Amino acid sequence: MSQFDPAFLRGLTRPRLARSSAGGPARRDVLRLMGAAGAGLALSACGVKGQGGKEKVSQSDVEKYWAGKAKNGRLNWANWPGYMQDDRETIKAFEKETGVKVTYKEVIQEMGPWFGKIQAPLAAGQSIGFDLMVMTNGIQLEQCRQLGYLAPLDLSKLPNFQANAGPSFKNPSYDPGNAFTVPYESGVTGIAYNTKYVKEEITSIAQLFDPKYKGKVGMMGDSQELGNFGMFLLGIDPEKSTKADWEKAAAKLREQRDKGIVRKYYSQDYVDAVSKGDVWMTMAWSGDVYSLTSPDVKFVVPREGGTIWTDNLCVPKTAENPVDALTLMDWLFVPENNAPLTEFINYMPPIPATQKLIARKAEQAGGADKKDLTRLSTSPLIFPSQADLARLRHYRRLTQAEETEYQKIFEPISKGS
Amino acid sequence: MAGVRGRLAPYLMILPGGLWLAAFFLVPIVLMVSLSLQTGNLIDGFQQTLHWRNYTDGLSTYGDKFVRSLWYGLVATVACIVIAYPAAYWIAFRGGRAKSTYLFLLLLPYFVSFILRTVSWKLVLTDNGPILGPLRDHGVLPEGFHVLDTGVAVVSGLAYNFLPFMVLPIYVALERIDPRVVEAAYDLYASRAQAFLRVILPLSLPGVFAGVIMTFVPVSSDYVNAEVLGGPQNTMIGNVIQTEYFNNSAYPTASALSFALMAILLVGIFAYARTLGTQDVLEAAGR
């Protein structure tokens, strides 16, 4: 005997067509309407307005930006790992002398991802949470300049920079007149090799292409680093290169990869790889080799040339404490303030006077300190000669159209295409 | 009055979920489709030009990365099944009162950051590291042998990182099996192998199905393992998409590649569901 009313059982199996049609739209239609609304959005999603053309600044632009802005006694600083003493000695000295409280964060690992992170808030005119950041010259810095993401600097408030920066570090090609940046430290991209495995002297980029080292060579994945080395190999000056030059360089680099000579394309993780012998020879940055790799690893600037790049201090347009940022920028251009930083970082300082300070300190020091400081003050990796500097080239400054072409040519190489 | 309110109830019930889907799924999808057909750049702006070449250019330059990603996804998923099923089986049927403890131990490594776990493998597998170094020094492995920067390293990393997404669904499906059903099989003279193949395996297939979906899709889209453990010949489409978005700000290209990947995966899932017969699997489980 069924415990349910027979009428109820009949209701379960018979669709209520009449009720549906009489009672308004069925559920299915509601979902269809939402889909239609979505389709409508497609028509309105017609692109983003261009924001370029802001890299030229006039004196009135500078005055307009800085008008009414005052020191707040606070500073949020974004930097790369390894670019400040572990005990933050330099920051503490700055805080003590100026009273500005600094929050320091090592949040920049690579320029591409960093730009990807800050681009949206800057485009929206919002703070990125930092008042000062360190950006390498290259594609992303140029994009920031053109998009107006950086505060135009008031050089009259940077007297130490004017007085002490070396001529090679003023008015750089990538930021004429230091409109938006002052240098923090510079470095050279050259070749690092592990003498435990490589028994000959390395002097040339051609050796990175030698089949003898098949599977033991590292290259950099960054398209501008990679492109420059391809061009150096062919005797092309990257700063004066053309699209045809890029294509020749790319073909050479693809040949190297397809012969299996390249084991991997690195960012900064080449340090571990070459120290441990995963690769025997690799593109590398001078300061990393000086201070981070194992003692077996040597660094050379190839005879064909090397890339000099500069990590620059710059102020995001939306900074909450821009005047404090300016204070720190100028403070770092006092040689006595820069020297401890260079002793730790081991990259190229923008202040030639630092060399004398470190040399004098070496004379007064004893034991291991004396040895370390003497090595530092006499190293051509930290204080290059004019002859060395003459062989170094920057990345080429690219217009937007050129950048698109450049990336299309070089970016796929490290991706295996 | 009561009738009207009653009739509106189903639509009101669907409203929150519908709005959620519209705001967080439909709108982003539509915007991405639109972006994938645009031209331009950050400096000059992006314009809608119905530029289908974003798809054809992307596929012609990086087509082999799609194939490799799907292949790695397949191999890693199969590896996960092979590892996860016995583990889940043992915990479900032999774990006794300590089942929760064993599950917890299995999941413990995954409380650490995904990226840190992957980088740790790099330390373990380095050529002169703790494992390969001694083996090569004693002549067991040839000079020049390496695991890092190979496809094996990438697939192993993928399988390792996504193993929980296979273990848990299978464990849940196995746990749900009534022991008396298995007992009945034995009573009817089934051998252990027969009982497994005809009773336990069919009843646990929904778990395998769910595990495959939850493993294959993220694995095929991954960009960390290939970046950390692979070389240039192991690049996956996820690496390319990440680079185009974050390094190049080439949003149209990245959107086109993303949407192409999504379309390929959706087609794959539908084909897989149709082939395996989701409904039949569920009916078998319910029977």
Side-chain angles (χ1 to χ4, degrees), chain A residues 82-95:
Chain A
Y83 251 0
M84 180 62 60
Q85 305 96 335
D86 296 335
D87 63 0
R88 312 301 192 225
E89 176 192 346
T90 292
I91 291 178
K92 286 173 180 171
F94 172 74
E95 288 179 322

Side-chain angles (χ1 to χ4, degrees), chain A residues 19 23-27 30-31 34-35 38-39 41-42 45-53 110 112-113 115-117 119 139-140 142-143 146-147 149 197 216 257-258 262-266 269 272 276-278 280 400 403-404 407-408 411-417, chain B residues 7 10-11 14-15 18-19 22 26-27 30-31 34-35 38 41-48 57 61-65 68 122-123 125-128 143-149 226-233 235-236 239-240 242-249 251:
Chain A
R19 177 174 283 269
R27 284 179 202 81
V30 175
L31 294 176
M34 291 185 183
L41 278 168
C46 288
V48 179
K49 186 185 166 192
Q51 300 288 327
E110 225 180 347
F115 179 81
K117 189 180 291 185
Q119 189 269 326
I139 286 170
Q140 288 81 19
E142 182 64 17
Q143 283 177 329
Q146 291 192 31
L147 290 165
Y149 290 169
Y197 305 100
K216 293 300 180 183
R257 179 200 66 198
D258 294 340
V262 183
R263 170 159 171 169
K264 187 166 177 142
Y265 294 88
Y266 294 97
D269 44 336
D272 264 359
K276 292 174 172 172
D278 286 1
W280 296 353
Q400 180 60 59
E403 189 223 313
T404 303
Q407 293 287 42
K408 200 168 284 186
E411 188 71 61
I413 295 171
S414 65
K415 296 291 189 288
S417 284
Chain B
R7 272 201 297 277
Y11 305 108
I14 205 173
L15 199 59
L19 287 180
L26 207 56
V27 171
V30 169
L31 289 177
S34 172
L35 187 56
Q38 294 179 21
N41 52 70
L42 273 182
I43 307 295
D44 304 321
F46 297 96
Q47 298 86 36
Q48 179 56 260
D57 286 351
T61 305
Y62 296 112
D64 57 330
K65 310 299 176 287
R68 178 177 302 128
K122 194 171 181 176
L123 300 179
L125 296 174
T126 189
D127 296 6
N128 299 299
E143 195 65 38
F145 176 88
H146 62 96
V147 174
L148 272 188
D149 308 323
E227 174 72 30
V228 175
L229 300 173
Q233 300 309 329
T235 303
M236 295 172 73
N239 299 109
V240 178
Q242 197 227 3
T243 296
E244 295 291 353
Y245 262 121
F246 289 110
N247 283 30
N248 298 345
S249 303
Y251 301 143

Side-chain angles (χ1 to χ4, degrees), chain B residues 85-110:
Chain B
Y85 199 102
Y89 183 99
W90 190 89
I91 295 175
F93 292 122
R94 304 274 187 261
R97 297 169 66 175
K99 283 178 188 176
S100 298
T101 304
Y102 294 131
L103 270 183
F104 178 73
L105 288 176
L106 191 69
L107 300 178
L108 193 58
Y110 303 92

